[in-house]
Amino acid sequence: MSDSGSELEFSAKGVRIERWPRSLTEAGQVLVEDGRLALLTSYGRVIDSAPVRAVRAGKPWFAGDESTVATVNGTRYRLTMGGKPGRGDDGRRLDGAALAGRFLEVLRGAGGPRG
């Protein structure tokens, strides 16, 4: 997903990625690039990837402000973006709650279904 001509739409590092009932990584990465969502381990290995239009994501009532749930290829993942602060479009640092909101905004803007 790292093409020199690609457009990066969202990136967050230090993301806890869980597939119930276990944690897959404590410091993973979430990327939305060229119309695809990718969940990566802290070592850059792809956990799962799919076109944004096929991803369902939302903010369930049981999740904290910095968490979202995304269904990728039929598998539900809980993404907690409280690790390392990221940056918004204007270069400002964003906390976990702001990153989670931005992630959902990017998916909706790219035509992904809501969860």
Side-chain angles (χ1 to χ4, degrees), residues 10-16 30 58-59 63-69 79-88 92-105:
F10 179 84
S11 176
K13 293 183 178 181
V15 178
R16 180 183 176 117
V30 176
K59 191 136 191 59
D65 289 342
E66 69 283 345
S67 294
T68 62
V69 173
L79 310 174
T80 304
M81 304 200 190
K84 298 178 184 173
R87 299 210 179 263
R92 287 182 307 127
R93 291 180 70 87
L94 299 175
D95 65 5
L99 278 171
R102 177 74 182 124
F103 171 69
L104 294 174
E105 181 183 303

Side-chain angles (χ1 to χ4, degrees), residues 42-74:
S42 56
Y43 298 107
R45 185 180 60 84
V46 176
I47 295 170
D48 212 337
S49 175
V52 170
R53 290 191 176 133
V55 175
R56 293 186 55 86
K59 191 136 191 59
W61 62 270
F62 59 82
D65 289 342
E66 69 283 345
S67 294
T68 62
V69 173
T71 302
V72 183
N73 297 318

